[in-house]
Amino acid sequence: MNVGTKFLFVGLFNSILAYGVIFFCMYKLNYNPVGSNITGYAIGLFFSYFLNRKFTFKSQGKKIPEITNFLLCFFISYGVSLCLLQVLISVALNPGISQLLSGAGYVLTSFVLNKWVVFKR
């Protein structure tokens, strides 16, 4: 299985987990969409690093610089996602659909940064 496929599997797991948390917060706890999004991504972040380090990229790198780069790349990717979410909601798109579309921006940005910055070989 190639790195891109592994990244997608890890991403699928993280997406199910994160979106489960996001939609639970939005529709059961009545959090606003942005607060729900932050909560879901925070939980997904924890699992994402460890799964991508061990399974996707099989990294042997030093953990501290790797975690630092991972967090930086996460915040860049998350910033792209959050900006897209805000734009989509501002044009009155359904908040649930907006969450899914903004997630696509996150996945694309995250893969590129993780492959070429965090877990480069």
Side-chain angles (χ1 to χ4, degrees), residues 10 12 16 18 20 26-27 33 39 41 45 55 57 72 77 84 88 90 95 100 112 118:
V10 168
L12 180 62
I16 291 168
M26 275 178 39
Y27 296 116
T39 303
Y41 272 84
L45 176 66
F55 175 70
F57 298 103
L72 177 62
S77 301
L84 186 54
L88 294 171
S90 74
L100 294 173
V112 169
V118 179

Side-chain angles (χ1 to χ4, degrees), residues 11-65:
L12 180 62
F13 171 79
N14 276 331
S15 294
I16 291 168
L17 175 66
Y19 281 111
V21 171
I22 288 168
F23 291 131
F24 179 78
C25 290
M26 275 178 39
Y27 296 116
K28 295 294 183 187
L29 301 179
N30 296 316
Y31 286 9
N32 68 44
V34 174
S36 299
N37 190 274
I38 291 169
T39 303
Y41 272 84
I43 291 170
L45 176 66
F46 175 78
F47 288 99
S48 180
Y49 172 75
F50 290 103
L51 289 173
N52 279 309
R53 176 180 169 76
K54 295 292 183 189
F55 175 70
T56 305
F57 298 103
K58 295 185 181 181
S59 177
Q60 301 286 321
K62 294 183 180 186
K63 288 182 183 174
I64 298 300

Side-chain angles (χ1 to χ4, degrees), residues 95-106:
I97 300 295
S98 298
Q99 295 284 4
L100 294 173
L101 292 174
S102 70
Y106 174 85

